[in-house]
Amino acid sequence: MTRAEMDALGWDSCDVILVTGDAYIDHPSFGMALVGRLLEAQGYRVGIISQPDWHSAEPFRALGKPNLYWGITAGNMDSMVNRYTADRKIRSDDAYTPNAEPNKRPDRAVTVYAQRVREAYPGVPVVIGSIEASLRRIAHFDYWSDKVRRSVLFESKADLLIFGNAERALVDVTRRIAAGESIKEIRDIRGTAFLVQPGWLPDAEWSEHNSTRVDVPGRIDRQPNPYAMALEDPTACALDNAAPEPVLKPVFIMSREERQAAAREKAMKTVVRLPSFETVSADPVMYAHASRVFHLESNPGNARALVQSHGDRDVWLNAPPLPLAMDEMDNVYDLPYARNPHPSYGKAHIPAWEMIRYSVNIMRGCFGGCTFCSITEHEGRIIQSRSEPSILREIELIRDTTKNFSGTITDLGGPTANMYRLACKEKTIEESCRRLSCVYPTICSNLGTDHSKLIQLYRKARAIPGVKKILIGSGLRYDLAVRSPEYVKELVTHHVGGLLKIAPEHTEAGTLSKMMKPGIGAYDEFKRLFDKYSLEAGKKQYLIPYFIAAHPGSTDEDMLNLALWLKKNNFKLDQVQTFTPTPMAMATTMYHTRKNPLKKVTADSEVVETARSGKMRKAHKAFLRYHHPENWPILRETLVKMGRGDLIGNGERHLVPAWHPSEDSGAPQVGDRKRQGGMPAPLPHQIAAAKRKPEQQRVPAAGGRAPVAAAERARPSILSTIKAKPKGAKK
């Protein structure tokens, strides 16, 4: 971090200098610490420049010139997601900065940092990586500029991009540069991307396939007439007769295993050409096609290299990295981390550190394939798990060395809490699979769903002396959990601290199909087991569901039905999220192109409608918080437009009140329609009605008609009629 520390270590220079947009916390949950300790274990001297002032090159000279290369990352999050809300407003805090101070990193930090290190020391190789670089490795839609942007390799002018699980690739690259090899010659490492001249191929054995051969049927040749007795062109007859005798080739009968091996060998020497940046930036259909092909080539067992033209250069992506084996995972997490923020921060509060301080990562990856999530694009869909002894050692280390440890481990998890050591039943099947999800539309019959190893881990962790409680804070894949009721019982009985986070994301089938999430029936089954085992344990415990507003494919009617479901189940959500299109996610493709890349993409294929305008996105979010007075005006306006004014009123069957005293400190002026979201302002007798007890209330009818006594207009309760009819639905 400083020259003084280098002097204390006796270093005159660093081999590698890593630049990060996060505060430096020496803990394996933070990418720079993990990478730094990994390279240190290989014998390299590693320096860290954390959150430098990017307005000049001078802060990047603090540790001198690196001997091998610069390593650049935006941090644990994409810098645009970190700095901006879903409404494109700058956030007021940054969880990865001391005291949560905002504006300590630039927009598109990878590009800015890479430019500054070039200025600081020209000629030193630049390697970019981590999630921001990983998710921007090809042409991608950028939500914040509302356009398709080029690969980050062009904008950053980096020499090499490392994506996905970078440990193995990073060590290989470092060793080869240290051995004197030019970074421009390192072109054969999995999980790397770089710029090449158009048409470049590694050697003569390689071939190139156009992406339309992967996803769209090619040209169909006309079938010859089997009854034709002569050639249609008589002049061709002489040529045909004059042709040399054909060379006869023997026919080899290959076994199934031999054919598969030959196909794998050919795939390893094949690159798939995606539509160019110029094409996908102008044609939404081709963008969706490119996204689909990219995701189909994501399984490291069968993925081919990809190439995409950007003007006069090509972006070449080698196949994704192979997953780390269990002993490799152990080696990474068993390195000698200090498990604390750098001492220079003093007593500063760093929210991201506080969140994971007493938690343990037990696995990586996710085979769920949720379209709005970027875990698959970055970490892959094959689960990489640590061994039980390694995890238990880390718990003991937290107990013995972490300040203020009170006996509670706040999480044993990862991207998903209950995918630990789950895998395909056959390695050969896993290596040949091209499904985008192992659990959608149904759980694959080849996927092992046995949670016994995770149950065993929980029990051994609880038995460690000094550990009073093990909580599970990571999100739970409940459709998997219900396949193992004994796991649900173990979880509910011992590892829930009163509240358990769970993410149905939505209730409507149309929206869930665009998310690749299970139907709400799976949630209902999990809730039944959760309530049953909570009762048996004598505990009052509750599920906290998470939902997404304005997701592609979600209509106004879908959001209304979700709000009615929330009211029926008495959920009043405080924290809700609006869909944020992140680079390369499949849901982002739907948002940008209005096409569904989960199926074959053509100009006439399925159209995915999505909330794009700020007002519509705000209304969808308001449905999730229907109970909050600040959302009532926009909900009234939206319900009237939908023809559902019958849900506006002061009775139990209504979603939002016509008016409520909590909306204003005083009574609104008569005729003030704007503040009522397009509904007439309440008259004095309506204000009085709102203040009466429910049994005394008179319910205003839809459409502005005179109020009718509730007893005279009895309707079914909202608790018994949930579904809203979409506009134009047949009766």
Side-chain angles (χ1 to χ4, degrees):
M1 283 281 285
T2 65
R3 278 282 191 175
E5 290 173 308
M6 290 175 61
D7 293 340
L9 292 168
W11 297 358
D12 58 351
S13 63
C14 294
D15 295 319
V16 179
I17 297 180
L18 306 174
V19 182
T20 176
D22 293 341
Y24 179 54
I25 300 171
D26 193 8
H27 187 283
S29 292
F30 295 85
M32 278 301 92
L34 189 149
V35 167
R37 290 296 182 185
L38 178 68
L39 292 177
E40 179 190 52
Q42 300 295 317
Y44 300 103
R45 295 174 294 182
V46 182
I48 305 283
I49 297 178
S50 171
Q51 297 189 318
D53 181 353
W54 66 91
H55 295 96
S56 74
E58 193 57 36
F60 296 83
R61 298 188 179 102
L63 302 182
K65 181 179 179 179
N67 300 324
L68 300 180
Y69 62 85
W70 293 97
I72 307 296
T73 172
N76 271 23
M77 291 178 65
D78 182 282
S79 59
M80 302 303 288
V81 177
N82 178 280
R83 292 200 69 220
Y84 294 89
T85 69
D87 298 323
R88 299 190 180 100
K89 296 179 180 178
I90 293 181
R91 297 184 190 275
S92 59
D93 57 7
D94 182 343
Y96 292 87
T97 301
N99 295 320
E101 189 176 345
N103 303 318
K104 285 295 185 178
R105 75 186 78 215
D107 289 354
R108 302 181 179 86
V110 165
T111 295
V112 175
Y113 291 159
Q115 292 170 347
R116 288 291 179 264
V117 299
R118 290 282 195 203
E119 294 174 25
Y121 294 106
V124 178
V126 175
V127 178
I128 58 176
S130 197
I131 193 162
E132 179 170 310
S134 188
L135 297 186
R136 297 172 182 268
R137 56 190 186 262
I138 61 171
H140 57 278
F141 175 73
D142 182 81
Y143 171 65
W144 299 271
S145 57
D146 198 27
K147 67 178 183 181
V148 177
R149 299 181 73 96
R150 297 187 301 172
S151 164
V152 70
L153 279 164
F154 279 90
E155 298 189 345
S156 67
K157 297 181 174 59
D159 296 291
L160 193 68
L161 185 156
I162 300 180
F163 60 86
N165 302 293
E167 290 90 351
R168 197 182 291 118
L170 190 68
V171 170
D172 287 348
V173 167
T174 308
R175 285 176 176 171
R176 290 169 67 168
I177 294 176
E181 188 171 353
S182 169
I183 195 170
K184 300 293 185 183
E185 298 173 358
I186 300 176
R187 296 290 183 258
D188 58 345
I189 297 178
R190 277 178 168 267
T192 60
F194 42 85
L195 299 179
V196 294
Q197 294 299 320
W200 178 87
L201 292 173
D203 58 51
E205 295 182 6
W206 278 74
S207 62
E208 180 182 299
H209 283 188
N210 192 286
S211 63
T212 55
R213 295 180 63 179
V214 176
D215 190 46
V216 177
R219 179 174 61 88
I220 299 177
D221 294 325
R222 187 179 66 173
Q223 295 296 316
N225 180 1
Y227 301 103
M229 301 301 293
L231 295 172
E232 294 182 5
D233 183 3
T235 61
C237 183
L239 295 175
D240 185 61
N241 292 333
E245 284 291 319
V247 178
L248 300 179
K249 296 182 179 180
V251 175
F252 293 98
I253 306 300
M254 301 174 67
S255 67
R256 182 171 178 267
E257 291 72 19
E258 289 174 328
R259 290 197 305 273
Q260 290 176 339
R264 283 195 296 270
E265 184 68 23
K266 184 178 180 180
M268 291 177 63
K269 296 283 188 175
T270 301
V271 62
V272 176
R273 180 167 289 277
L274 299 174
S276 69
F277 161 72
E278 291 76 14
T279 299
V280 299
S281 60
D283 188 342
V285 173
M286 293 307 292
Y287 183 100
H289 161 76
S291 174
R292 175 172 169 79
V293 173
F294 174 88
H295 286 87
L296 288 173
E297 299 293 337
S298 62
N299 181 352
N302 57 48
R304 292 168 286 189
L306 301 172
V307 66
Q308 185 179 49
S309 171
H310 287 59
D312 61 350
R313 302 290 294 279
D314 281 352
V315 175
W316 181 285
L317 283 74
N318 281 325
L322 296 172
L324 296 183
M326 184 174 285
D327 61 338
E328 291 177 305
M329 285 281 286
D330 289 351
N331 290 338
V332 168
Y333 283 90
D334 288 346
L335 293 170
Y337 302 96
R339 307 188 67 84
N340 276 303
H342 191 268
S344 63
Y345 301 130
K347 296 183 179 180
H349 170 67
I350 306 176
W353 157 242
E354 298 296 336
M355 183 180 297
I356 58 88
R357 190 174 188 176
Y358 308 117
S359 67
V360 179
N361 285 333
I362 64 174
M363 47 77 68
R364 283 184 190 167
C366 180
F367 48 67
C370 300
T371 61
F372 51 82
C373 179
S374 300
I375 292 172
T376 299
E377 289 89 344
H378 183 57
E379 294 189 4
R381 65 184 180 90
I382 297 175
I383 302 303
Q384 303 156 73
S385 301
R386 295 170 63 184
S387 71
E388 195 176 83
S390 174
I391 295 167
L392 299 178
R393 283 196 301 270
E394 184 170 351
I395 295 174
E396 292 173 343
L397 192 63
I398 293 173
R399 177 198 63 191
D400 297 337
T401 64
T402 305
K403 189 177 180 181
N404 298 324
F405 178 65
S406 62
T408 299
I409 297 296
T410 54
D411 189 25
L412 291 181
T416 307
N418 62 318
M419 289 186 183
Y420 178 71
R421 300 189 69 173
L422 298 189
C424 192
K425 295 176 181 178
E426 293 288 342
K427 191 67 176 177
T428 54
I429 295 175
E430 178 185 87
E431 291 177 346
S432 62
C433 180
R434 296 178 70 83
R435 282 183 58 161
L436 297 174
S437 170
C438 298
V439 291
Y440 183 87
T442 58
I443 296 175
C444 179
S445 58
N446 293 310
L447 178 66
T449 59
D450 179 13
H451 286 57
S452 60
K453 291 184 175 65
L454 186 55
I455 294 171
Q456 178 178 289
L457 174 64
Y458 286 174
R459 290 173 178 171
K460 290 186 178 181
R462 291 200 309 269
I464 293 176
V467 173
K468 301 175 184 176
K469 188 79 173 178
I470 302 281
L471 299 176
I472 303 303
S474 297
L476 194 75
R477 190 78 195 200
Y478 53 84
D479 52 342
L480 282 174
V482 297
R483 292 287 186 96
S484 181
E486 63 274 18
Y487 169 74
V488 180
K489 183 175 183 179
E490 188 80 13
L491 175 76
V492 170
T493 305
H494 300 287
H495 302 285
V496 177
L499 303 175
L500 180 67
K501 293 187 297 185
I502 195 168
E505 309 296 4
H506 217 284
T507 58
E508 303 307 292
T511 304
L512 290 170
S513 70
K514 303 303 184 294
M515 295 177 168
M516 288 212 297
K517 290 284 287 186
I520 199 65
Y523 166 83
D524 294 335
E525 175 62 15
F526 179 80
K527 185 177 185 303
R528 184 187 68 78
L529 293 174
F530 181 88
D531 291 341
K532 172 186 175 183
Y533 295 129
S534 293
L535 183 63
E536 290 180 3
K539 297 181 177 181
K540 287 187 177 181
Q541 300 184 140
Y542 305 92
L543 293 176
I544 303 297
Y546 282 76
F547 297 94
I548 296 179
H551 191 278
S554 184
T555 64
D556 292 346
E557 285 77 14
D558 290 337
M559 293 308 302
L560 171 57
N561 285 331
L562 174 51
L564 295 175
W565 184 91
L566 291 171
K567 182 166 184 177
K568 176 186 178 182
N569 289 278
N570 198 30
F571 282 124
K572 295 183 178 180
L573 309 179
D574 282 330
Q575 295 183 342
V576 299
Q577 55 183 330
T578 305
F579 169 69
T580 301
T582 54
M584 278 177 38
M586 299 193 84
T588 301
T589 298
M590 299 179 201
Y591 175 91
H592 169 57
T593 67
R594 298 175 68 235
K595 291 293 181 180
N596 184 2
L598 302 178
K599 303 175 181 178
K600 285 186 179 292
V601 178
T602 67
D604 301 323
S605 61
E606 178 187 5
V607 175
V608 180
E609 298 294 347
T610 185
R612 293 183 61 94
S613 71
K615 188 171 185 179
M616 190 175 180
R617 285 167 64 84
K618 185 177 180 181
H620 281 205
K621 184 177 180 180
F623 273 118
L624 294 180
R625 302 189 73 230
Y626 66 91
H627 57 282
H628 201 284
E630 69 180 12
N631 294 320
W632 292 343
I634 191 171
L635 287 178
R636 292 191 194 105
E637 180 180 357
T638 304
L639 289 170
V640 169
K641 287 182 179 178
M642 294 172 64
R644 295 307 310 265
D646 58 296
L647 293 173
I648 303 170
N650 300 322
E652 185 208 353
R653 66 181 181 82
H654 299 108
L655 185 64
V656 294
W659 181 79
H660 193 275
S662 64
E663 291 186 69
D664 290 293
S665 56
Q669 296 297 314
V670 175
D672 184 358
R673 301 175 67 92
K674 184 176 180 181
R675 70 196 298 175
Q676 293 299 313
M679 290 294 293
L683 298 173
H685 71 272
Q686 292 173 314
I687 297 174
K691 295 179 180 179
R692 290 198 294 266
K693 295 180 180 179
E695 61 270 17
Q696 299 174 326
Q697 289 181 355
R698 295 167 62 82
V699 182
R705 294 189 295 271
V708 180
E712 298 173 2
R713 288 287 303 272
R715 291 190 179 185
S717 167
I718 197 171
L719 302 180
S720 60
T721 58
I722 289 299
K723 292 292 181 183
K725 289 183 180 179
K727 284 186 178 180
K730 294 182 180 180
K731 296 183 179 178

